[in-house]
Amino acid sequence: MRKALMAAVAACALIAAGSTGQAQEKLKIGVLATLSGALTSGGEDGVRGAQIALKQRGGKIAGREVEFIIAATDASPDSALRAARKLVEQDKVQLILGPLSGSEGIAMRDYSKTVPNVTVVDASSGALETTYVNPSPNYFRFNSNGAMWMAGLGEYVFKDKGYKKLAVIGEDYSFPYTQVFGFALGYCKAGGQIVQRQWVPLGTKDFGSVIANIPDDVDAVFLGLGGGDSVNFLNQYGQTGGKAKFVGGSIMVDQTVLSSRGAAKKLLVGTPSSGGVADAWDDPKWKAWVKAYQDAFPADKRFASPSLFATNYYNAFSGMAAGLEKVNADLSDGGAKFRAELAKVELDAPNGPIKLDDDRQAIATTFITEVVEAPNGDLTNKFVRTVPNVSKTMGLSAEAFKAVGLPSRTNPECKP
Amino acid sequence: MSDFIGRRPIWSLVILIAVALLLFLIFAVWTPWMELTFGRKRVFLSALFNGITLGGLYFLVASGFTLIFGLMRNVNLAHGSLYLFGGYVGYSIGNLTGSWFAALIGAFVIVALAGILMQVLLFRWMEGQDLRQTLVTIGLSIIVADLLLWGYGGDTFQVTTPDWLSGPIQLPFIVALRSNGEAVMMMYPLVRIAILIGAIILGVAMWLALNRTRIGMLVRAGVDDRDMLSATGVRVQLVFIMVFAFGAGLAGLAGVVGGTFQSLQPGEDTKILLSSLVVVIVGGMGSIPGAAMGALIVGLAEQFGSVYMPTYAVMLTFVIMVVVLAIRPQGLAAVRR
């Protein structure tokens, strides 16, 4: 028995020694994506974005082959933590791409502090707090947060669309709070009023009572929903025969919803929104990215054009790869050199230039868009205008921004 | 009826007053004072109707659950999986044939067959062993959930509503008066009304079948004393298989219904299982009227909770369950033995 045990130990030691001796070990990157729950379609498209970015680099970074280890989450913070722990402890990754959803990002920020040798490059999550409150030194974000994606929309909705009074329906977690926060900053300053806010749990099935609760005397309803929830809401709204106008959050009028099956999405035609992408932007770099996306997957395995999530994962991976190239993909020092380089990366991304601020948060472009029906019946986001160089303080001074407080169910108030 | 009034005069009065109050709330034009206290009438009415229709869906699921429990003393914790499986099957059939009825019937038949397989291959071999059955059904539900995730992915699916059922209809309830005195009528989705009517018809039919037919008599006898029934020469295993098939089929049917007016995605199975557990605990294990009562209470609690106290809505159903367990642990409609 004793002999057998010793032999087993020896064998294990040999195997372990053998694997470290390999010169060209694969570079493992853990990818967190929401592959179940309400944001599934977004998570799947995010993975597509990362895969395209990897393929464009021939599957290699600095000569080393890259292996994606995809870990599924369901948009809840604990699912993201579980998946990240599995990636770090079991798969021994030093690089994590993701997460996708707002509250996951906050959880991952805290987790990243406990694993200082792991570098997390956020791929789509949009809570303000992730990089604003106690930012983590090994957490990077190449996408705007939910508030930055709303920069300029409030003024546009108030002045150009003439919606003076709004009701809000949003999912009850950090990303929709942040979106409404960013929207209200501009909208209320312009003179608009938010008369009611309804927060529903992520993954709500039955919107019947919420729909009945929408006040009659509002000009439009701001929808801070995403993925399956958006589709559910629109279907049920159509069933009740409602005729309200909408203002869309960034993932409400995204391709994840505009490409869904069923006729309910037609209710969105004419909806103004803003976010990190505009489907029908005629910038050559954007067009090239759309083409790369369309060429990479057959038409039934993708959306008509890349969603916000695909673009964000693409950018996050591109940023990570640019940093790795600088240090020749050498992470033997726990990634310290790599992180120093990563903080300096400036991306010439398909959706405008991106650079990082001192808290490793992107300064990027916001697009104001409007949903239109293309001649072939597809819905797409018409480009209205860009708001360049949006930073996390939304153009306010640091003190003035701090005085507004953090996004929550009720903040900022928006009374006349 | 008069018997009940005679035995419980105070309760009868309370019920009578509650019904009168409810009718008044439904039909009267609300005064500004009432709007201030209860919110707008449209919100109240729509929460009421949504609660009742949601109760209809819960009844479809829970009646099969309670029937199986009542007869076989088998807590089938894979019942939620049967619901989700039925929903997905219905979605596929609906996509293939374009017919909603084909989806309903197809889901019923296929899930009923799955139920027969479960009974014949699994539960027959562990009759009377509660713990083992419970563990096996939990295991089964995990396996089925993963298989469904494998087959259909994590996306949200919706069974297409047939054209003649989509859109709203006008109900004869006044929700508000315009400034010119014109009445605004309540608009409500037709598909929900249809589901409610379907659930009521099915409930009545089940009650009739249980109380007026020979098969129903066998089932009731089985619920009361299984051993004695088999001793009288009835092939009790056959009755078990039939009931299991019917209960499972109902869950599958409910999956299509739920997929039509809500949607289908992974995780729905445990959600619906939890709801139907609460429903049968509130209503009383093994009783069809109990399932109807429990479904109605849980549906109403969920909808009114989501309107009037959104933060605590999730808790409300469990509070009701705890109260029922504390006051009447056998359930509201259970027969005392």
Side-chain angles (χ1 to χ4, degrees):
Chain A
M1 183 66 209
R2 209 186 151 86
K3 245 185 202 164
L5 206 66
M6 292 302 283
V9 170
C12 286
L14 267 177
I15 291 164
S19 62
T20 48
Q22 265 179 8
Q24 277 294 318
E25 205 188 336
K26 273 190 182 174
L27 186 64
K28 284 193 278 191
I29 299 179
V31 180
L32 292 177
T34 51
L35 297 178
S36 71
L39 301 179
T40 305
S41 50
E44 289 168 351
D45 210 38
V47 172
R48 283 192 277 266
Q51 282 168 343
I52 295 170
L54 180 60
K55 216 163 110 192
Q56 287 182 346
R57 290 170 175 271
K60 285 181 180 160
I61 293 177
R64 267 174 81 178
E65 228 171 284
V66 173
E67 183 190 354
F68 278 151
I69 302 172
I70 295 170
T73 73
D74 62 9
S76 70
D78 57 317
S79 73
L81 277 185
R82 223 175 313 136
R85 285 216 178 90
K86 183 240 166 203
L87 287 174
V88 171
E89 289 163 18
Q90 193 178 325
D91 302 317
K92 310 275 183 226
V93 303
Q94 275 188 292
L95 300 164
I96 292 180
L97 194 70
L100 178 139
S101 178
S103 295
E104 294 183 334
I106 297 175
M108 283 299 293
R109 171 200 69 191
D110 295 339
Y111 175 68
S112 68
K113 289 179 185 166
T114 66
V115 282
N117 288 340
V118 175
T119 307
V120 181
V121 180
D122 193 318
S124 235
S125 92
L128 169 68
E129 291 93 324
T130 313
T131 54
Y132 182 62
V133 181
N134 302 321
S136 163
N138 48 342
Y139 196 99
F140 295 74
R141 185 154 72 178
F142 285 95
N143 59 269
S144 304
N145 66 37
M148 294 157 68
W149 276 327
M150 289 280 113
L153 181 65
E155 290 87 345
Y156 176 73
V157 165
F158 187 82
K159 296 201 182 108
D160 295 39
K161 298 301 267 186
Y163 301 159
K164 314 284 181 207
K165 258 173 147 188
L166 284 186
V168 167
I169 297 174
E171 287 146 341
D172 201 4
Y173 72 102
S174 59
F175 178 68
Y177 300 164
T178 312
Q179 291 241 287
V180 173
F181 172 91
F183 175 77
L185 281 182
Y187 182 68
C188 307
K189 204 154 100 199
Q193 250 192 80
I194 296 176
V195 294
Q196 184 203 43
R197 299 176 209 214
Q198 295 193 68
W199 301 106
V200 299
L202 185 66
T204 292
K205 297 280 152 197
D206 202 329
F207 285 92
S209 306
V210 173
I211 289 168
N213 217 351
I214 300 171
D216 294 319
D217 59 344
V218 291
D219 299 317
V221 182
F222 180 96
L223 298 176
L225 307 168
D229 291 355
S230 320
V231 180
N232 266 346
F233 173 84
L234 291 172
N235 269 325
Q236 291 170 26
Y237 193 78
Q239 294 281 0
T240 57
K243 294 196 170 51
K245 294 193 179 91
F246 299 120
V247 177
S250 302
I251 60 174
M252 179 74 205
V253 296
D254 188 56
Q255 280 298 329
T256 49
V257 177
L258 298 185
S259 303
S260 67
R261 276 160 289 204
K265 62 189 184 193
K266 294 268 195 280
L267 290 169
L268 285 174
V269 172
T271 300
S273 173
S274 65
V277 298
D279 300 339
W281 195 27
D282 51 10
D283 180 86
K285 281 200 92 94
W286 173 256
K287 292 215 136 150
W289 158 232
V290 174
K291 185 158 186 323
Y293 175 85
Q294 289 172 341
D295 291 345
F297 295 94
D300 59 332
K301 294 262 194 300
R302 58 168 170 85
F303 299 132
S305 75
S307 71
L308 180 63
F309 301 107
T311 311
N312 285 340
Y313 272 73
Y314 178 84
N315 290 342
F317 181 82
S318 305
M320 185 191 264
L324 284 168
E325 299 276 2
K326 287 266 174 58
V327 297
N328 216 5
D330 176 17
L331 299 169
S332 52
D333 59 345
K337 266 193 297 174
F338 162 60
R339 283 192 288 277
E341 288 299 333
L342 188 57
K344 285 186 250 165
V345 167
E346 289 191 19
L347 278 182
D348 196 10
N351 56 343
I354 297 173
K355 59 174 187 276
L356 298 182
D357 67 12
D358 296 341
D359 291 330
R360 296 159 299 283
Q361 162 63 44
I363 299 171
T365 312
T366 296
F367 297 80
I368 295 180
T369 59
E370 204 167 305
V371 179
V372 290
E373 193 170 348
N376 63 357
D378 281 352
L379 295 188
T380 176
N381 274 310
K382 187 182 78 174
F383 169 74
V384 177
R385 63 166 98 117
T386 58
V387 186
N389 289 323
V390 181
S391 72
K392 67 171 179 280
T393 57
M394 311 280 294
L396 300 172
S397 70
E399 291 77 37
F401 186 70
K402 207 170 171 193
V404 183
L406 292 174
S408 74
R409 286 180 181 161
T410 50
N411 192 46
E413 246 188 59
C414 195
K415 298 274 181 235
Chain B
M1 185 72 194
S2 56
D3 184 41
F4 183 79
I5 296 173
R7 272 190 297 133
R8 298 245 168 86
I10 298 172
W11 274 111
S12 310
L13 194 68
V14 169
I15 292 172
L16 209 65
I17 291 175
V19 169
L21 195 68
L22 189 67
L23 288 178
F24 172 73
L25 283 175
I26 293 174
F27 286 104
V29 178
W30 285 25
T31 60
W33 170 82
M34 283 165 69
E35 302 247 315
L36 215 63
T37 2
F38 300 113
R40 286 171 311 136
K41 184 177 177 187
R42 191 168 51 146
V43 177
F44 171 82
L45 271 192
S46 119
L48 182 72
F49 283 102
N50 287 341
I52 296 174
T53 47
L54 194 61
L57 173 67
Y58 287 162
F59 173 71
L60 287 182
V61 190
S63 52
F65 190 68
T66 202
L67 208 60
I68 291 172
F69 174 82
L71 187 66
M72 285 167 250
R73 300 272 169 257
N74 173 3
V75 183
N76 177 17
L77 293 181
H79 205 68
S81 312
L82 292 175
Y83 167 89
L84 194 60
F85 177 55
Y88 279 136
V89 166
Y91 171 83
S92 297
I93 294 177
N95 247 11
L96 225 61
T97 61
S99 155
W100 189 63
F101 274 113
L104 271 185
I105 293 164
F108 183 88
V109 171
I110 291 175
V111 180
L113 285 177
I116 292 178
L117 287 182
M118 272 167 77
Q119 169 66 16
V120 172
L121 297 179
L122 289 174
F123 299 127
R124 252 185 104 157
W125 308 105
M126 44 189 87
E127 235 168 66
Q129 307 175 48
D130 294 349
L131 199 59
R132 184 171 287 182
Q133 286 181 344
T134 310
L135 286 176
V136 164
T137 50
I138 290 178
L140 200 63
S141 73
I142 295 172
I143 294 169
V144 172
D146 266 8
L147 286 178
L148 289 177
L149 186 63
W150 180 40
Y152 285 87
D155 241 335
T156 310
F157 285 91
Q158 196 143 28
V159 183
T160 320
T161 321
D163 279 339
W164 54 271
L165 267 182
S166 57
I169 59 161
Q170 191 171 324
L171 296 183
F173 306 116
I174 299 168
V175 284
L177 291 177
R178 290 219 178 81
S179 45
N180 57 7
E182 194 187 326
V184 183
M185 291 301 193
M186 168 110 179
M187 299 295 272
Y188 198 74
L190 180 60
V191 61
R192 279 176 177 261
I193 304 266
I195 286 163
L196 177 65
I197 294 173
I200 292 175
I201 291 176
L202 201 78
V204 171
M206 264 164 72
W207 188 86
L208 284 177
L210 272 178
N211 289 289
R212 295 279 183 276
T213 65
R214 202 182 127 72
I215 293 175
M217 198 172 71
L218 288 181
V219 172
R220 278 183 297 135
V223 169
D224 281 341
D225 196 327
R226 203 164 48 187
D227 299 335
M228 196 53 84
L229 181 68
S230 69
T232 57
V234 174
R235 292 171 66 188
V236 110
Q237 284 301 340
L238 207 62
V239 180
F240 284 2
I241 288 176
M242 256 164 31
V243 168
F244 210 105
F246 184 70
L250 271 188
L253 186 89
V256 181
V257 169
T260 307
F261 84 108
Q262 298 187 343
S263 61
L264 300 165
Q265 67 185 45
E268 221 28 31
D269 46 350
T270 43
K271 231 188 226 169
I272 209 84
L273 176 69
L274 197 64
S275 298
S276 40
L277 265 175
V278 176
V279 164
V280 295
I281 289 172
V282 168
M285 283 279 205
S287 143
I288 296 286
M293 213 189 286
L296 193 63
I297 291 173
V298 172
L300 283 173
E302 273 183 20
Q303 285 297 327
F304 275 103
S306 75
V307 174
Y308 292 105
M309 37 191 271
T311 320
Y312 304 106
V314 188
M315 259 171 48
L316 195 60
T317 46
F318 294 103
V319 171
I320 291 175
M321 188 177 86
V322 169
V323 169
V324 167
L325 280 178
I327 297 174
R328 209 180 142 83
Q330 73 273 36
L332 293 176
V335 193
R336 244 173 287 190
R337 295 213 169 83

